[in-house]
Amino acid sequence: MQYGIRYFKELAEEGYPTAQSILGMKYYFGDGVEKDTAKGISWLKKAAEQGHMEAQRQLGELYANIDEKESQKYFRMASAAGDNWSKSKLTK
């Protein structure tokens, strides 16, 4: 495992939401680690639950073509945190 990935993993395990979000995306897309979408989503959810707006937005996007209810849930969270792009993705 690369040093940078190891560093993000340590910080993510300590509960830092930005590190969790970054690590989640790396696992989801296989960027510097073996691709593991389930692990990626798990890390993103940990960050989102702590109010990390970017993780909430990413989850909204990742779920958009899979589960509309989950997608809207995360877009609502990001919108409530002030993300106008996510607000534009909300269905009425």
Side-chain angles (χ1 to χ4, degrees):
M1 184 180 292
Q2 298 174 0
Y3 175 75
I5 301 296
R6 196 173 9 199
Y7 178 71
F8 282 120
K9 190 167 195 270
E10 287 175 17
L11 291 174
E13 289 171 347
E14 290 177 20
Y16 290 95
T18 299
Q20 292 170 338
S21 180
I22 291 168
L23 190 61
M25 293 304 291
K26 289 193 172 295
Y27 274 113
Y28 190 86
F29 290 108
D31 180 17
V33 294
E34 186 173 333
K35 184 175 179 175
D36 187 331
T37 55
K39 192 180 282 189
I41 288 174
S42 176
W43 280 115
L44 284 167
K45 284 183 176 181
K46 289 178 185 194
E49 290 167 5
Q50 293 186 71
H52 194 275
M53 187 173 61
E54 182 65 25
Q56 294 164 347
R57 181 193 313 172
Q58 290 296 336
L59 284 166
E61 276 296 302
L62 295 175
Y63 277 113
N65 295 320
I66 301 168
D67 185 333
E68 183 65 22
K69 185 177 177 181
E70 280 295 291
S71 175
Q72 289 295 297
K73 171 184 159 182
Y74 289 108
F75 281 142
R76 275 192 301 281
M77 290 170 74
S79 177
D83 184 36
N84 289 328
W85 187 86
S86 291
K87 188 175 185 176
S88 74
K89 294 294 191 174
L90 293 174
T91 57
K92 305 296 180 210

